[in-house]
Amino acid sequence: MQELECLILGAGWTSTFLIPLLRTHHLSYAATTRDGRSVAGSKTIQWTFDPDENEDSHLQFSNLPLAKFVLITFPLTSAQQSKTLVNGYLKTHDKTPSPAHFIQLGSTGIWQIPQKTLWVSRRSPYDTKNARAIAEDEIISSGGCVLNLAGLWGGARDPKTWVSRVAKTKEDVKSKKSLHMVHGLDVARAIVAVTSDWDKAKGQRWMLTDGFVYDWWALMVGWADVKGSSDGDAVAAEPSEQAKWAFELMREEKVWALPRSMLALGRCYFGSEFWDTFGLVPLKARI
């Protein structure tokens, strides 16, 4: 059985960026989906993870290809689920003394708990009772790597479309402070970097952002012309309700200009450590 560089378990939105990048780097890969559909021009293996399979069975993994790196894109929600997946794959793909390495994609949401400091890093306290964090801890303890991703954008995911959903009232706008994002292409670049320098990545939890701390108010005002009026239509254009509310709040709270200060934003993610460690710089930032 030929060993691939990367096996993607659950090829979804991230894979629309990752698969083309793997091709560019001439890295061999395979990917799974629930229905076996094509993703980014590549056929996928129809496969679904069964977390309740008998631990001694491992039948669900037997048809998966052999790979150096196994990327888990879907959330696992218990330590046992992580054990079932990791142990099941390793036992059906025995390649001692170099077993497969596991990379789990997670969310920076685990750090959304009261913090003692303004700046939050990958080493800051996180919600250890969070089901996904518990599963991720198990991946890390087994020598794997977790990439906790900030808000994802790129392709069909346009942050402008989030505004009307998250800020329906002036009170909603008032509550909005910091936002952290990362583009799908930079997620893909981070994954490839991890596979290229595993000694730095293994056994670690990494926070992945584009290095910016965005101010929700600044974004809302910057996207005031939400319909994207042309120059000819600009005379009749009206700013969005969210932009109007943001300016009202600026007057009320004596905010003289945007973006607000880091102190006012309240939670700021230290987003440069991953990029510094792997000698990279993000390609895409939403400003």
Side-chain angles (χ1 to χ4, degrees):
M1 183 185 296
Q2 181 182 1
E3 184 181 49
L4 303 173
E5 185 71 18
C6 184
L7 171 61
I8 306 166
L9 298 182
W13 178 84
T14 301
S15 294
T16 63
F17 300 94
L18 177 58
I19 287 175
L21 188 63
L22 291 172
R23 288 197 201 108
T24 298
H25 287 279
H26 304 290
L27 298 173
S28 56
Y29 66 90
T32 74
T33 57
R34 289 177 179 270
D35 55 6
R37 68 185 183 278
S38 292
V39 176
S42 290
K43 294 181 179 179
T44 65
I45 302 164
Q46 185 172 359
W47 182 82
T48 303
F49 175 55
D50 178 7
D52 300 317
E53 182 183 62
N54 184 296
E55 191 170 348
D56 296 324
S57 175
H58 312 309
L59 288 176
Q60 64 176 310
F61 304 103
S62 58
N63 290 329
L64 294 177
L66 185 67
K68 294 179 183 177
F69 295 93
V70 178
L71 174 68
I72 309 163
T73 69
F74 51 84
L76 300 174
T77 55
S78 71
Q80 185 56 52
Q81 287 188 11
S82 295
K83 290 177 182 177
T84 297
L85 197 157
V86 171
N87 294 339
Y89 184 85
L90 291 178
K91 288 182 179 178
T92 53
H93 298 75
D94 183 16
K95 56 189 189 81
T96 306
S98 299
H101 306 304
F102 292 83
I103 305 166
Q104 170 76 63
L105 299 186
S107 165
T108 54
I110 64 170
W111 284 287
Q112 290 182 359
I113 60 173
Q115 299 283 350
K116 295 181 179 180
T117 60
L118 172 64
W119 287 96
V120 180
S121 76
R122 70 188 185 101
R123 296 179 178 82
S124 297
Y126 59 91
D127 185 0
T128 55
K129 295 182 180 179
N130 179 285
R132 292 180 66 173
I134 291 169
E136 292 165 6
D137 285 342
E138 178 60 32
I139 294 287
I140 293 169
S141 70
S142 67
C145 164
V146 174
L147 297 177
N148 290 102
L149 312 178
L152 299 169
W153 76 281
R157 293 193 180 194
D158 184 353
K160 287 184 181 180
T161 65
W162 305 346
V163 174
S164 61
R165 295 200 304 267
V166 303
K168 299 180 185 299
T169 68
K170 184 176 176 179
E171 282 302 307
D172 290 339
V173 174
K174 185 175 183 177
S175 70
K176 293 300 174 187
K177 295 187 177 181
S178 63
L179 175 67
H180 303 83
M181 294 189 281
V182 64
H183 192 279
L185 177 57
D186 284 320
V187 174
R189 294 174 67 233
I191 293 167
V192 171
V194 162
T195 65
S196 302
D197 204 343
W198 183 247
D199 284 343
K200 289 181 181 177
K202 64 183 179 181
Q204 301 288 325
R205 179 189 294 282
W206 298 94
M207 175 185 284
L208 199 65
T209 82
D210 60 13
F212 281 78
V213 179
Y214 297 94
D215 177 355
W216 262 115
W217 291 8
L219 293 176
M220 291 174 185
V221 172
W223 296 332
D225 186 8
V226 68
K227 295 181 180 179
S229 303
S230 64
D231 289 343
D233 297 330
V235 173
E238 281 290 324
S240 66
E241 286 298 316
Q242 290 82 4
K244 294 177 183 177
W245 289 329
F247 255 79
E248 289 174 11
L249 290 164
M250 287 173 66
R251 289 194 296 271
E252 293 167 13
E253 299 188 9
K254 294 182 172 54
V255 175
W256 308 132
L258 296 174
R260 290 169 287 178
S261 69
M262 297 294 110
L263 189 61
L265 293 178
R267 178 184 286 112
C268 304
Y269 289 161
F270 176 38
S272 62
E273 185 178 4
F274 176 88
W275 305 107
D276 289 343
T277 301
F278 289 88
L280 297 172
V281 172
L283 274 174
K284 300 281 188 177
R286 189 76 184 193
I287 53 174

